[in-house]
Amino acid sequence: MTKNPNKTPNSNKRKLSTTDIVLMLLGLFILIRTPWSNMSSFYYLLFFLYIFCIMMRITNLRKQYAKKESQQRKEAEIKAEIQGAEKPEPIMTAPGETISTEEKPSHTTEETPSQENPKSN
């Protein structure tokens, strides 16, 4: 038995819902059972209702997709707000100069100019 090295499931593959399966089966039934040589108003009505159901399903899929996108966008905004809230406040060192806590030096020692040997003058 060979194992699939890619263990992530194929998320791009669309699963068929029961509504889609019912619409496909209904379409096949209409195509098979329709007397093409003797069309009556009943069969025209069946075709119209079938097309209407397909159009309503497509509209429903578009609404679900738009809702999913808006939900993902809101989640991304919330994550961005959370990450923005976690950033530390800048520390004021001098007027007009800021250092964030990440860049804050732990121990800064300024070298004072040492007095030179007075004998070397």
Side-chain angles (χ1 to χ4, degrees):
M1 177 170 31
T2 60
K3 291 185 180 180
N4 187 3
N6 187 5
K7 293 188 179 189
T8 59
N10 192 358
S11 61
N12 292 337
K13 194 173 190 180
R14 186 181 178 284
K15 295 179 181 177
L16 292 176
S17 68
T18 54
T19 307
D20 295 335
I21 293 171
V22 168
L23 279 175
M24 286 181 209
L25 292 175
L26 182 65
L28 285 174
F29 179 75
I30 289 174
L31 286 174
I32 292 170
R33 299 292 295 169
T34 301
W36 294 102
S37 60
N38 186 15
M39 290 284 287
S40 65
S41 60
F42 174 73
Y43 293 106
Y44 284 119
L45 176 66
L46 282 180
F47 277 124
F48 170 75
L49 290 176
Y50 179 67
I51 299 299
F52 182 72
C53 287
I54 290 174
M55 288 172 47
M56 294 301 289
R57 178 64 182 154
I58 291 171
T59 304
N60 190 16
L61 288 174
R62 290 179 66 200
K63 282 182 184 179
Q64 287 177 352
Y65 182 72
K67 187 176 180 180
K68 184 178 178 182
E69 276 189 350
S70 66
Q71 186 177 9
Q72 288 175 346
R73 191 178 313 119
K74 285 179 184 178
E75 288 175 1
E77 288 174 0
I78 290 171
K79 286 180 182 178
E81 287 177 5
I82 290 172
Q83 289 176 353
E86 289 176 355
K87 288 185 179 178
E89 293 293 325
I91 298 173
M92 297 297 290
T93 58
E97 186 178 329
T98 61
I99 298 177
S100 69
T101 56
E102 295 171 356
E103 299 172 358
K104 185 173 95 174
S106 58
H107 293 290
T108 57
T109 57
E110 289 186 20
E111 294 183 17
T112 57
S114 63
Q115 294 180 358
E116 293 185 19
N117 194 353
K119 296 178 183 177
S120 64
N121 283 343

